[in-house]
Amino acid sequence: MQWKTTLSALVISSLMAGCAQSPTGRNQVLMFSSDEMSSLGAQSFEQIKQQEKISKDPTLNRYVQCVTKSITDVVGPQAGFDEWEVVVFESDQVNAFALPGGKIGVYTGLLDVAQTPDQLASVIGHEIGHVLAEHSNERLSRTQLAGLGMQVTSIAIQGSGYGEYHDLTMAGLGLGVQFGVLMPYGRAQETESDIIGVRLMTEAGYNPNESVALWINMARKSNGNQPPEFMSTHPSHSTRIDDLNSEIAQLPPYQTQKPQCRRPS
């Protein structure tokens, strides 16, 4: 009984120490430092770079770097890392991600759907939103508190390789696919990143309405194969579009002088 009391006290202390608010004002529990999360993000990114084919196309890389820099310039300095790293992966995946520590991956398949610089800025802003809102920290903190092995995340962060905890850790970073235990970012986090992303792209001079156009493209690409919203970690395309339109209606006018990032032909 004593150990249960001690464990409860530790959990309560962790909750009190880790209380925080996201950029949109949502309450969070964050149990890990910026340095710890940056280290874990860097480890995971190095592993991904070893597993995936990195694009050597200079024009494509220049384009993605240009759009990303226009977004990160309005973000400003971040705790835990000094600069953002962007890598383009050759893959048909319609995907992108951002990890703690400023690590950003963009798959070439995404460019078939994000057809303009504004639409790519919408995706990049969304992914950076996950980092700014510390969603990975939040997911891993929930794992720690959920009792899925109280040592899972601490061992993952302390070790240079996380062995049997690899899947849980990657899922906590938003890169997993498990249902019921740890899934990629939940719907609340995805919606929050949509809001942060559309704000960032607008501040950078992009047309926020293009974020809606992006999700119309996504809906077409999926051919109606998206799972029901209650079974998915992501909002449905229609929910996403409605939420974005609501946010866009409250934004100030975007600049007409937007960044000059030329999409490869």
Side-chain angles (χ1 to χ4, degrees):
M1 185 64 69
Q2 181 64 39
W3 71 268
K4 290 184 178 180
T5 303
T6 302
L7 181 58
S8 297
L10 287 172
V11 170
I12 292 171
S13 298
S14 297
L15 285 169
M16 293 178 65
C19 287
Q21 277 198 333
S22 74
T24 65
R26 185 173 57 83
N27 291 329
Q28 297 174 294
V29 174
L30 306 176
M31 298 176 62
F32 304 102
S33 70
S34 296
D35 287 342
E36 287 175 323
M37 293 306 302
S38 293
S39 176
L40 188 55
Q43 290 173 31
S44 300
F45 199 53
E46 287 304 312
Q47 180 177 352
I48 293 169
K49 287 194 291 185
Q50 292 172 15
Q51 294 175 342
E52 301 285 351
K53 183 178 180 181
I54 297 176
S55 171
K56 303 297 183 183
D57 184 329
T59 305
L60 186 61
N61 275 275
R62 190 159 49 245
Y63 169 61
V64 174
Q65 293 278 354
C66 178
V67 173
T68 302
K69 186 176 186 301
S70 65
I71 300 294
T72 57
D73 280 351
V74 304
V75 168
Q78 296 296 303
F81 63 96
D82 296 323
E83 59 184 7
W84 298 83
E85 179 183 0
V86 186
V87 175
V88 179
F89 297 106
E90 286 190 17
S91 171
D92 291 335
Q93 286 190 59
V94 181
N95 202 8
F97 64 86
L99 297 175
K103 309 300 183 182
I104 299 172
V106 176
Y107 293 89
T108 53
L110 174 68
L111 302 181
D112 293 332
V113 178
Q115 298 174 352
T116 67
D118 299 73
Q119 291 176 16
L120 180 58
S122 174
V123 177
I124 299 298
H126 170 92
E127 297 303 334
I128 288 175
H130 283 306
V131 176
L132 300 185
E134 299 193 73
H135 288 160
S136 293
N137 193 335
E138 185 177 20
R139 294 289 289 172
L140 289 173
S141 298
R142 287 180 182 175
T143 305
Q144 185 88 336
L145 293 171
L148 299 175
M150 292 292 287
Q151 299 176 341
V152 168
T153 47
S154 60
I155 290 175
I157 288 172
Q158 290 169 9
S160 58
Y162 22 98
E164 63 183 294
Y165 302 111
H166 170 268
D167 289 344
L168 290 174
T169 305
M170 296 295 270
L173 290 169
L175 300 171
V177 294
Q178 294 90 340
F179 279 84
V181 180
L182 274 181
M183 295 183 285
Y185 299 122
R187 286 193 292 274
Q189 293 169 325
E190 288 294 329
T191 298
E192 184 168 58
S193 281
D194 280 345
I195 292 171
I196 296 170
V198 78
R199 291 175 182 175
L200 289 176
M201 70 178 293
T202 304
E203 188 175 352
Y206 294 102
N207 181 354
N209 293 296
E210 285 294 294
S211 64
V212 174
L214 169 75
W215 284 104
I216 291 173
N217 293 348
M218 288 284 197
R220 290 172 179 161
K221 182 75 173 179
S222 68
N223 292 320
N225 292 326
Q226 188 181 29
E229 186 169 351
F230 72 90
M231 293 177 61
S232 173
T233 59
H234 291 53
S236 68
H237 297 318
S238 59
T239 297
R240 211 156 203 166
I241 289 169
D242 289 344
D243 290 343
L244 283 168
N245 278 323
S246 296
E247 180 64 23
I248 290 168
Q250 304 175 53
L251 293 174
Y254 67 95
Q255 305 168 22
T256 54
Q257 187 64 35
K258 64 183 176 184
Q260 298 302 306
C261 300
R262 182 172 296 180
R263 175 186 168 88
S265 56

